[in-house]
Amino acid sequence: MSVPANTRSFRIRLALQTMLVAGALVAVFGAAAWWYASQTLERSVDDRIIAPAQRVWSRIDPFTTDEEFKTIADLVFGTSPDRDATHAVLVVQEHLHGKTIFATPNAPKDLDVYFRSCFPTSEEINRAPPEGAPGMSPPGGRRRPARHHGDQFDDLLGLPPEPDSAPQTNRSLPFRPQMPMVREPSTFTARSGGIDWRFGAFSSPSYTIFIGLSLTDFYAEVNRMAWWYVGAGALGLVLAGFGALWTSKRAMRPLERVVTTAQRLTASDLAERIHLHRDDDREFAQLIDVLNGMMERLQGSFQQAVRFTADASHELKTPLAIMLATLDDAVRHAAPGSPEHERFLSLFEEATRLKQITQSLLLLSQADAGRLPVHAETYDLSADLARLIEDGEILCEQAGLTLEHHIEPQIKVRADRALFRQVLQNLLSNAIKYNRPQGCVTLRLTTEDSAAVFTIANTGPAIPPENQQRLFERFFRGDTAHTRKTDGFGLGLNIATELARANGARLRLVHSQDDETVFEVRMSVAT
């Protein structure tokens, strides 16, 4: 039995389903991990903005000059503002006219709309302490007052207080009294000149300072993580697929034993059983046990049917022999042409037919039980076919048919001569019976690839496609009504198949179409 072309492999389907589920889990986990990592990196960028903002805020006051802003930018960012660096920028804009008080050379020039949206409102400015409150140094003041608990900037940013003393460098500026912060620091992302920037806005009553960092490195890191997740996910899917294949292979081993054993089962040998291993899973062990029980019951039923057929056929031989002898005597003693003679002759023909059916059933029961007596010998099949052709010419002449033959000489086979001759006779008989008037029967014997190939063709009507698969079934006849229009009882091809198989040959229908039906018998050439 062939496997349908569209049958899907359970192992492949299991592997694909495993990869699908694993892929969904990896995709969800990767998306969540990527989002969390992106948020963490974004918070780290904000922290990198807040840290220098605190240092800038502690060194400015409402009277800080442009030169002092340059020095502060150089001190805080560690790079001269005269150089065209793009990793950090400082912009200071006053609120009243939106004028830029100071900007590093690399600061974007087209983000004023974003900057102004971060200015504090009039209400926020009015609520702030005045910038000239007592304790604030004059513009040139160079003292740093003691820090006190609850500093506005530290409280808003959540940063620890700075130590009272800090190491001085040649370019450092003294700390100044902190200006009041009129609103919570805010952050935003903007794009300028093909570069994405992350800005932090810190507002005093008079102006707002903006500290920005380029997001180029941030996006590079995010993309690197994304590719890492994609690569790891793809590797995980491949490993999951191979793991599913390996697991399914181990799980399917009991089923492979079931298939292998079932393929070895034949009608003549139902004694095969599926072996049960100690490491088989419980579900497969139950399946194997059920199948073994089913095969045991089938074997018992089949053996009982074979014994019944053989016994019945054997027991009918003697009564039929007596019946045929009695009818033969009655036919010979009845007056020719009399009603008694015709009646006895009809009974004799029916008894002969019954004897043929009985002999065929006995032969098939022996084949089913594996007890068919086969006496193989090496003989010249070409010479044996010559005698069959002589009988065939007589039968074809009586039926008004033509017999053609093409036989290669000296083709030897090893088989039971009598049984194999019956195979060929059955085929020749069918080719003559199922032919059209004035038709033709063609016999061929050739060798192909160390095999003897016998073909027989006739010019009868085509066999319907729905009947071609059932031709070799027992008692199947194309005449569904089982009338006597064509003599036969539906066992000829089945017997020929069993006898061919017993001799190591294979009988098959090559094709059947209008005016040509071809059967083939193929077997090994004797060496």
Side-chain angles (χ1 to χ4, degrees):
M1 179 179 177
S2 60
V3 179
N6 60 347
T7 300
R8 297 175 298 178
S9 170
F10 173 76
R11 291 180 57 197
I12 300 298
R13 187 150 47 94
L14 178 61
L16 292 177
Q17 290 176 350
T18 302
M19 293 179 66
L20 181 63
V21 174
L25 293 177
V26 168
V28 172
F29 173 78
W34 182 82
W35 177 84
Y36 178 77
S38 300
Q39 295 298 314
T40 301
L41 287 175
E42 185 174 317
R43 286 193 296 269
S44 70
V45 172
D46 292 344
D47 292 340
R48 290 170 58 191
I49 291 174
I50 291 174
Q54 183 183 18
R55 299 177 63 190
V56 172
W57 194 268
S58 63
R59 288 171 171 81
I60 63 174
D61 57 29
F63 309 104
T64 303
T65 64
D66 186 68
E67 289 298 326
E68 289 176 330
F69 273 122
K70 290 181 181 180
T71 304
I72 292 172
D74 187 20
L75 174 65
V76 173
F77 299 133
T79 179
S80 173
D82 297 329
R83 292 196 291 260
D84 189 19
T86 60
H87 72 285
V89 297
L90 173 63
V91 178
V92 183
Q93 289 193 348
E94 55 92 12
H95 301 151
L96 184 58
H97 301 291
K99 177 182 178 182
T100 300
I101 299 175
F102 171 80
T104 54
N106 58 329
K109 304 297 190 295
D110 53 352
L111 299 180
D112 287 346
V113 175
Y114 291 93
F115 293 155
R116 291 172 183 172
S117 65
C118 295
F119 287 173
T121 63
S122 300
E123 296 179 355
E124 291 174 328
I125 295 176
N126 292 334
R127 288 198 302 264
E131 293 179 324
M136 182 173 288
S137 298
R142 291 295 181 265
R143 67 179 179 88
R144 178 188 181 194
R147 300 291 298 273
H148 57 84
H149 180 69
D151 183 278
Q152 291 177 337
F153 193 93
D154 291 340
D155 290 343
L156 289 172
L157 300 182
L159 299 174
E162 290 188 0
D164 291 339
S165 62
Q168 297 292 324
T169 61
N170 293 333
R171 302 185 61 187
S172 65
L173 289 178
F175 290 93
R176 300 180 178 180
Q178 285 195 349
M179 298 181 296
M181 186 169 289
V182 300
R183 69 187 308 183
E184 291 281 347
S186 61
T187 57
F188 65 90
T189 302
R191 185 174 182 84
S192 176
I195 301 175
D196 289 322
W197 295 89
R198 183 73 172 175
F199 280 95
F202 309 91
S203 300
S204 72
S206 299
Y207 51 77
T208 298
I209 64 172
F210 298 93
I211 296 179
L213 292 178
S214 170
L215 295 180
T216 302
D217 294 339
F218 167 75
Y219 287 150
E221 182 68 14
V222 171
N223 290 334
R224 187 187 67 82
M225 287 192 304
W227 281 111
W228 187 89
Y229 283 132
V230 170
L235 179 61
L237 289 180
V238 173
L239 293 178
F242 280 109
L245 285 175
W246 179 79
T247 303
S248 61
K249 181 178 180 181
R250 289 180 59 86
M252 295 291 289
R253 284 177 182 174
L255 289 182
E256 291 176 356
R257 294 201 306 273
V258 172
V259 172
T260 302
T261 304
Q263 288 174 340
R264 291 198 300 264
L265 289 175
T266 61
S268 59
D269 184 12
L270 290 173
E272 284 280 352
R273 295 294 181 268
I274 305 168
H275 298 292
L276 186 62
H277 293 177
R278 295 179 58 186
D279 58 346
D280 286 340
D281 295 327
R282 181 178 59 186
E283 293 80 6
F284 286 114
Q286 291 176 345
L287 173 63
I288 292 173
D289 185 63
V290 170
L291 291 176
N292 283 337
M294 180 188 68
M295 287 188 290
E296 187 173 354
R297 293 190 296 273
L298 285 176
Q299 183 184 15
S301 301
F302 186 78
Q303 289 177 348
Q304 184 178 5
V306 169
R307 284 195 300 268
F308 171 78
T309 304
D311 294 343
S313 301
H314 182 75
E315 294 298 328
L316 286 173
K317 289 174 64 176
T318 301
L320 281 174
I322 296 174
M323 186 184 301
L324 285 172
T326 303
L327 289 173
D328 180 63
D329 183 69
V331 169
R332 283 189 287 108
H333 286 83
S338 65
E340 291 80 4
H341 181 271
E342 296 297 329
R343 189 179 304 113
F344 290 144
L345 184 62
S346 175
L347 290 173
F348 182 82
E349 291 175 353
E350 292 300 324
T352 302
R353 176 182 172 84
L354 183 58
K355 179 182 178 181
Q356 293 174 348
I357 295 176
T358 303
Q359 291 175 340
S360 299
L361 290 175
L362 179 60
L363 187 65
L364 289 174
S365 65
Q366 291 176 334
D368 291 340
R371 295 194 297 267
L372 186 67
V374 179
H375 306 287
E377 60 177 309
T378 301
Y379 68 97
D380 189 346
L381 180 60
S382 301
D384 204 60
L385 275 175
R387 290 186 286 273
L388 180 65
I389 290 172
E390 293 177 1
D391 296 338
E393 288 176 342
I394 297 174
L395 295 174
C396 287
E397 184 179 357
Q398 293 175 352
L401 304 174
T402 303
L403 178 66
E404 298 180 357
H405 54 86
H406 308 278
I407 309 299
E408 290 186 11
Q410 299 297 319
I411 296 180
K412 296 183 178 182
V413 297
R414 182 169 180 80
D416 187 303
R417 186 192 296 262
L419 296 180
F420 199 69
R421 183 183 298 154
Q422 187 172 349
V423 174
L424 305 181
Q425 286 175 344
N426 285 2
L427 293 174
L428 178 61
S429 175
N430 281 354
I432 294 174
K433 285 190 296 185
Y434 300 100
N435 211 329
R436 62 174 174 81
Q438 307 302 317
C440 179
V441 177
T442 305
L443 306 180
R444 293 180 184 273
L445 179 64
T446 59
T447 56
E448 295 180 9
D449 300 329
S450 301
V453 181
F454 172 78
T455 58
I456 181 168
N458 74 344
T459 54
I463 302 173
E466 61 273 13
N467 292 344
Q468 293 182 13
Q469 297 297 325
R470 303 187 58 195
L471 278 179
F472 302 98
E473 295 180 6
R474 295 178 186 179
F475 297 105
F476 175 77
R477 296 175 61 187
D479 179 12
T480 56
H482 285 204
T483 63
R484 297 296 178 84
K485 182 179 180 180
T486 302
D487 187 30
F489 39 87
L491 288 176
L493 285 178
N494 184 262
I495 292 175
T497 302
E498 295 294 341
L499 296 181
R501 184 183 295 115
N503 285 279
R506 179 172 178 264
L507 169 62
R508 70 184 184 96
L509 171 67
V510 180
H511 64 263
S512 180
Q513 55 192 21
D514 287 339
D515 227 26
E516 184 179 56
T517 297
V518 181
F519 286 87
E520 175 190 271
V521 180
R522 182 181 294 261
M523 66 186 307
S524 300
V525 175
T527 55

